[in-house]
Amino acid sequence: AQQSNIGIRTRNDIAVIPELNLQLGYDATSRLRFFIGYNVMVWTKVARPGDQIDAVINSAGGTVTRDFVTGLQTNVQSQGRRPAPIFGRSDVTIQGLTFGAAFRY
C-alpha cells in the first residue's frame, strides 16, 4: 500500500431510478386476454467495483509508473501520487419484455 491510498475515503451522491412501463392488451373473448409489455429502468451514479481501482502504481515519486495489470513501466514527469482513490460512477439501463395470457372464470 502507498501513502496515497491508505485511509478511509467517503462520498455521498444522490441517484435517481426512473422507470417506464408500457403494456398492450387484447381481449380475444370476454374471458381471455393476451398482453405484451415493455419496461425500462435507468439507474444513475452506480459505483461498480471495477471502476474504483486505480491500476497504476507510482513507485518513484512521480517519475516512473508501473501499470499493475500489465506490468509495463513508463516514465512520466508529474502524474501525481498513485494509486489514488477513484470515485467512478456510471449509469445502468435495464430493459425487460413481458407477455402472457389471462383467463377469467
Side-chain angles (χ1 to χ4, degrees):
Q2 301 281 337
Q3 290 296 323
S4 61
N5 67 343
I6 292 176
I8 298 173
R9 313 287 196 298
T10 61
R11 182 173 176 180
N12 295 325
D13 284 335
I14 295 176
V16 295
I17 310 173
E19 182 178 9
L20 173 68
N21 291 316
L22 302 172
Q23 192 173 62
L24 181 66
Y26 174 71
D27 289 329
T29 66
S30 62
R31 295 179 177 231
L32 183 62
R33 177 179 178 86
F34 295 101
F35 60 90
I36 187 167
Y38 171 76
N39 55 345
V40 61
M41 181 185 314
V42 179
W43 193 337
T44 64
K45 297 183 182 178
V46 176
R48 296 182 179 192
D51 295 339
Q52 311 307 314
I53 299 171
D54 187 4
V56 176
I57 297 175
N58 185 349
S59 58
T63 58
V64 178
T65 61
R66 181 178 301 272
D67 189 320
F68 182 72
V69 176
T70 63
L72 298 176
Q73 184 171 334
T74 57
N75 292 326
V76 177
Q77 289 303 320
S78 71
Q79 192 172 13
R81 297 175 65 178
R82 306 280 298 269
I86 299 174
F87 291 103
R89 302 289 190 260
S90 62
D91 296 342
V92 176
T93 303
I94 304 165
Q95 301 181 52
L97 182 65
T98 59
F99 57 91
F103 182 74
R104 293 182 290 245
Y105 58 92

